[in-house]
Amino acid sequence: MPGNLVPNQMYDHECNMLKGWWHPHVVDKSAEIADGETILAGSVCYLDSTGKFRSGLPDNTQGMFAWPSSTDFDVAADVGNTQKAVMTALPTLATYELFTTEFDATKTYAINDYLTAWHDQLLGFSVELRGKVRPGLPYHNTLVGQVSGLVKNNDFGKSVLTLWTYHLPVDLTNPSSEA
């Protein structure tokens, strides 16, 4: 019985750790994927109210970088296989240096720029951008990182953005500028 999954090449969508994740006691999260979601490795995801992964970054959620894609064979079962679709992601509470292929290439990035990710509540959103990293502003966007290196090509010729993970939620108190 032939399978019906055709995963991407592992380097098409990538989250690659440079520093900080190799230790066996560092933080990661494994969870099921919400119905209808396709999450690409290197994109930002979050846990919904049922504890399942969804793509994007609504305000004040814990952003995480997907480690594999939701359609990879180590996550999704093919025809005839019995496997629960569980994916791993790296929460931005812990500090890692990583690079991702999943960033908005129409934006410019400078070292130390803050980063957030696209979600459908944002002006200018389009479906192909969901979960991709983009520039962000502290206290205006929930932040997932800070640029640590300029955009460059990896060994496979794919553009990657290097960053340190970082978590800062939106300030819900809306402080005055006098503070």
Side-chain angles (χ1 to χ4, degrees), residues 108-124:
T108 58
Y109 301 89
I111 293 174
N112 294 316
D113 282 354
Y114 290 105
L115 300 169
T116 188
W118 281 103
H119 192 71
D120 55 9
Q121 68 198 33
L122 298 170
L123 185 64

Side-chain angles (χ1 to χ4, degrees), residues 59-145:
D59 283 341
N60 297 312
T61 59
Q62 174 57 59
M64 293 177 255
F65 283 88
W67 182 248
S69 293
S70 61
T71 56
D72 287 351
F73 284 128
D74 53 351
V75 176
D78 207 349
V79 173
N81 293 328
T82 56
Q83 170 182 329
K84 193 177 213 177
V86 174
M87 189 180 78
T88 302
L90 305 172
T92 61
L93 284 171
T95 303
Y96 315 106
E97 186 175 24
L98 59 86
F99 73 70
T100 179
T101 55
E102 303 309 302
F103 64 95
D104 185 343
T106 67
K107 307 293 184 190
T108 58
Y109 301 89
I111 293 174
N112 294 316
D113 282 354
Y114 290 105
L115 300 169
T116 188
W118 281 103
H119 192 71
D120 55 9
Q121 68 198 33
L122 298 170
L123 185 64
F125 170 80
S126 61
V127 174
E128 66 274 0
L129 291 173
R130 182 179 283 123
K132 288 190 181 219
V133 175
R134 67 181 190 87
L137 295 170
Y139 306 109
H140 294 275
N141 309 110
T142 297
L143 300 180
V144 294

Side-chain angles (χ1 to χ4, degrees), residues 170-176:
V170 173
D171 185 359
L172 296 176
T173 62
N174 195 14
S176 72

Side-chain angles (χ1 to χ4, degrees), residues 5 31-40 43-48 50-58 66 68-72 75-76 85 87 118-120 125 127 129-131:
L5 287 182
E32 291 181 43
I33 301 154
D35 291 339
E37 288 289 321
T38 299
I39 302 171
L40 300 173
S43 66
V44 176
C45 58
Y46 68 100
L47 292 174
D48 68 12
T50 66
K52 294 182 179 181
F53 281 127
R54 291 197 177 275
S55 183
L57 185 69
S69 293
S70 61
T71 56
D72 287 351
V75 176
M87 189 180 78
W118 281 103
H119 192 71
D120 55 9
F125 170 80
V127 174
L129 291 173
R130 182 179 283 123

Side-chain angles (χ1 to χ4, degrees), residues 129-170:
L129 291 173
R130 182 179 283 123
K132 288 190 181 219
V133 175
R134 67 181 190 87
L137 295 170
Y139 306 109
H140 294 275
N141 309 110
T142 297
L143 300 180
V144 294
Q146 195 168 10
V147 176
S148 66
L150 301 177
V151 174
K152 63 181 181 180
N153 286 342
N154 66 9
D155 294 342
F156 300 105
K158 302 286 182 182
S159 292
V160 297
L161 178 64
T162 304
L163 62 106
W164 295 292
T165 57
Y166 176 72
H167 176 73
L168 182 67
V170 173

